[in-house]
Amino acid sequence: TKRVKAEAHNREQAALLDNANDAIYVTALDSTILYWNRGAERTYGWTSAEAVNRKTTELLAVDPAAAVALIEVLLKKGSWSGERWRITKDGRKVEVFSRLTLVRDEQGQPRSIFSINTDITEKKQLEAQFLRAQRLESIGALASGIAHDLNNVLAPIIIGAPLLREMIKDQTRSRNLPLVPK
């Protein structure tokens, strides 16, 4: 029958989504999780059985108020993408790049939210390390330049001071040059 074919098609699509590395889930407009793939299990630590029928604001949200505001944006614009922090089952914070799409029914009414989240925590940490290394390299180059400039200024003084001592035979004047090596 038509219904059996549709259910088989849905199972086939769900199996494909389970093979994705990204965390993919579908929520109702009240943030209740309706679908949770294996990528979401790996990313957040909650099994599908633990996550489905619970709210993302309770499982994942660092800031539940921001999550509610995001739903309002989705209702107006239909989609949203950007970086945000999420919480895993073991309490770790992970940074994800989220792509959210409002799913509408046949009458065009908002029905659910389709979410694809890519864990970018490690990428962000590597970027931060790279930026720190660049800053340290810049500081090193600056210090090297300052040292070089100081050396250029002090070299004539260091070279000229012993000559100056030899030129000054007067004992009282040469007492003013006590640090100059003989």
Side-chain angles (χ1 to χ4, degrees):
T1 68
K2 192 174 185 181
R3 182 178 179 188
V4 172
K5 284 183 181 179
E7 286 175 359
H9 180 71
N10 286 345
R11 280 192 301 276
E12 184 180 305
Q13 287 181 334
L16 288 172
L17 291 177
D18 271 341
N19 289 324
N21 287 328
D22 291 334
I24 300 173
Y25 54 91
V26 177
T27 61
L29 297 179
D30 68 354
S31 298
T32 302
I33 299 168
L34 305 173
Y35 172 78
W36 187 261
N37 81 335
R38 285 194 189 114
E41 289 179 354
R42 285 187 298 274
T43 301
Y44 299 119
W46 301 96
T47 65
S48 180
E50 293 171 317
V52 171
N53 293 323
R54 293 184 65 189
K55 294 186 183 283
T56 57
T57 50
E58 143 192 3
L59 291 184
L60 305 174
V62 171
D63 182 2
V68 171
L70 187 55
I71 290 173
E72 292 176 21
V73 169
L74 275 170
L75 290 172
K76 288 179 187 167
K77 295 187 175 185
S79 66
W80 178 88
S81 64
E83 296 174 3
R84 60 188 184 155
W85 288 96
R86 308 304 267 161
I87 296 178
T88 64
K89 183 178 181 178
D90 61 9
R92 287 181 303 110
K93 277 185 165 182
V94 292
E95 192 168 3
V96 296
F97 184 78
S98 288
R99 292 164 303 284
L100 308 178
T101 304
L102 186 65
V103 178
R104 298 182 182 276
D105 63 16
E106 294 80 27
Q107 289 76 38
Q109 296 302 309
R111 185 178 78 198
S112 59
I113 300 167
F114 180 72
S115 303
I116 302 173
N117 293 328
T118 305
D119 186 351
I120 59 171
T121 308
E122 188 176 321
K123 176 185 171 213
K124 287 294 193 172
Q125 289 169 345
L126 289 172
E127 283 178 5
Q129 285 176 347
F130 177 71
L131 290 174
R132 274 192 299 274
Q134 276 188 323
R135 281 194 301 270
L136 287 174
E137 184 180 337
S138 296
I139 290 169
L142 179 64
S144 173
I146 291 170
H148 183 74
D149 288 348
L150 277 174
N151 190 38
N152 287 346
V153 169
L154 294 175
I157 296 170
I158 292 170
I159 292 169
L163 295 173
L164 186 60
R165 180 180 288 283
E166 285 183 26
M167 290 173 55
I168 299 175
K169 300 294 182 203
D170 183 356
Q171 199 66 6
T172 54
R173 288 188 187 163
S174 72
R175 263 185 285 161
N176 294 330
L177 298 170
L179 299 176
V180 177
K182 291 184 180 182

